Amino acid sequence: MADTVGPRIIAIPRGFSIRRPKLSDADAIAALINARARAESGVDLTDASEVLRELGDPTRNLNDENWLVIAEDGSLAAQLQLYEYAPFTTFVFDGDVHPDFVGRGIGTFLLNTIEARARREMHRAPAGERVDLQTRVNSSSLAAHALLEEAGFEHTRNWRRMEIDVTSPPTPPAAIDGITIRTLTRGADERLLWELMESAFADHWGYAPMPFEEFLYYEIEGVKDFDPELFFLAMDDDRIVGAATCHPSRGGDPTLGWVGGLGVHREWRGRGIGQELLLTAFGAFHRRGHLRVGLHVDGSSLTGADRLYERAGMHEARLDYVYEKILRPATSQGVAASK
């Protein structure tokens, strides 16, 4: 549904104020996000180090891409953050209202704020191309669904969190002729790994090119517990043709190993390389004493990634709905340019 008029300006609810975040707010923001997540599914989603990585992104403008809503008693009532990338055809946001303050009009205020902000910048998108606003909410959050739908958003696809128990030795990977698996060599492999992941994800839904410096920050330099021994590279001679980028914790849970990304170059797909990388990661986490391994996947993956994970024994642990609102429909000019 497209709405070219834009949102009606809504003031912040009485008794609340708004300010920009500081790095010192990381603990409070993580606590807020986890309070909302526990109310939905009983599981924490983040920790202060992960929030700090977002806030500390050198490309992030905290004065124009992040908002905090403060209650009269000084506590954090809500947070909102925007993600925008070239070519600025999709604006993605995350918003959380603390369970103690639900039903006070804060969610409506946040939606209004983020849409107005996106509309202000959507002129940066190529002429004639569609521009949309997206977010993800838990499938159990019926009130959030209703709020988004009332604001003109539509549920367009699903995002799955999948997990597997690795307390017992997982199935070892089968060898593939011509393919070897090794770990990351710092100072030598980073740019080649970035090139591989950009190529592997270029045909995925929602793909937006990530500059090398940003990849380096989010995958390596900005990660508190980064370990090169958990970055697995599939090699065909001296070429990286697939990779699994993993981390030893997620959401502050040291028993949960995390596969942040798994990609195989298009020309090498269909040979079992993705499964070999996945099973290699499972084995590494088991040997380290982890109890579970998790990852996120698009429920409508064009490459069938979710089916790969199911065949490897993973199950759905959480389901989020992707909601989308079209801010500017494509014109014939934009359609032609995209072909």
Side-chain angles (χ1 to χ4, degrees), residues 150-209:
E150 183 179 357
F153 286 77
E154 295 182 355
H155 172 202
T156 56
R157 63 201 303 125
N158 295 332
W159 197 254
R160 306 174 70 187
R161 172 169 170 156
M162 304 187 73
E163 294 184 5
I164 187 172
D165 185 312
V166 292
T167 53
S168 300
T171 303
I176 300 174
D177 288 343
I179 301 298
T180 58
I181 305 293
R182 67 170 175 85
T183 56
L184 181 80
T185 300
R186 287 288 275 125
D189 291 330
E190 292 89 344
R191 185 169 290 274
L192 295 174
L193 172 60
W194 165 71
E195 292 173 353
L196 176 278
M197 296 303 268
E198 285 292 290
S199 173
F201 282 91
D203 55 0
H204 283 224
W205 174 81
Y207 165 78

Side-chain angles (χ1 to χ4, degrees), residues 40-207:
E40 293 173 344
S41 58
V43 178
D44 286 352
L45 290 183
T46 191
D47 67 3
S49 70
E50 293 172 6
V51 172
L52 194 59
R53 179 176 59 171
E54 298 282 346
L55 297 179
D57 178 354
T59 67
R60 174 162 288 277
N61 181 357
L62 294 180
N63 290 321
D64 199 35
E65 297 175 337
N66 290 73
W67 299 258
L68 299 182
V69 176
I70 310 300
E72 285 185 301
D73 63 1
S75 63
L76 184 58
Q79 72 90 26
L80 177 65
Q81 53 188 331
L82 172 70
Y83 303 92
E84 53 183 349
Y85 316 96
F88 304 102
T89 54
T90 295
F91 294 84
V92 180
F93 71 95
D94 288 328
D96 302 275
V97 179
H98 193 285
D100 291 347
F101 299 102
V102 168
R104 306 280 292 275
I106 297 174
T108 300
F109 168 75
L110 295 180
L111 282 181
N112 180 271
T113 297
I114 203 69
E115 182 175 342
R117 169 61 175 76
R119 287 183 180 278
R120 192 191 83 200
E121 296 297 324
M122 68 182 188
H123 66 89
R124 302 168 72 183
E129 292 198 18
R130 192 184 84 155
V131 177
D132 59 72
L133 183 60
Q134 293 176 7
T135 193
R136 295 204 310 253
V137 295
N138 189 254
S139 59
S140 67
S141 301
L142 301 183
H145 303 169
L147 181 66
L148 287 163
E149 290 164 9
E150 183 179 357
F153 286 77
E154 295 182 355
H155 172 202
T156 56
R157 63 201 303 125
N158 295 332
W159 197 254
R160 306 174 70 187
R161 172 169 170 156
M162 304 187 73
E163 294 184 5
I164 187 172
D165 185 312
V166 292
T167 53
S168 300
T171 303
I176 300 174
D177 288 343
I179 301 298
T180 58
I181 305 293
R182 67 170 175 85
T183 56
L184 181 80
T185 300
R186 287 288 275 125
D189 291 330
E190 292 89 344
R191 185 169 290 274
L192 295 174
L193 172 60
W194 165 71
E195 292 173 353
L196 176 278
M197 296 303 268
E198 285 292 290
S199 173
F201 282 91
D203 55 0
H204 283 224
W205 174 81
Y207 165 78

Side-chain angles (χ1 to χ4, degrees), residues 262-286:
L262 190 152
V264 177
H265 193 285
R266 185 181 305 172
E267 296 178 11
W268 276 262
R269 291 175 187 165
R271 298 175 55 181
I273 295 173
Q275 183 172 17
E276 183 180 21
L277 286 165
L278 190 64
L279 295 178
T280 297
F282 291 169
F285 282 123
H286 167 73

Side-chain angles (χ1 to χ4, degrees), residues 45 160-163 256 258 295-296 315-318:
L45 290 183
R160 306 174 70 187
R161 172 169 170 156
M162 304 187 73
E163 294 184 5
L256 175 66
W258 193 257
L295 52 78
H296 282 138
H315 65 275
E316 184 176 284
R318 176 186 168 98

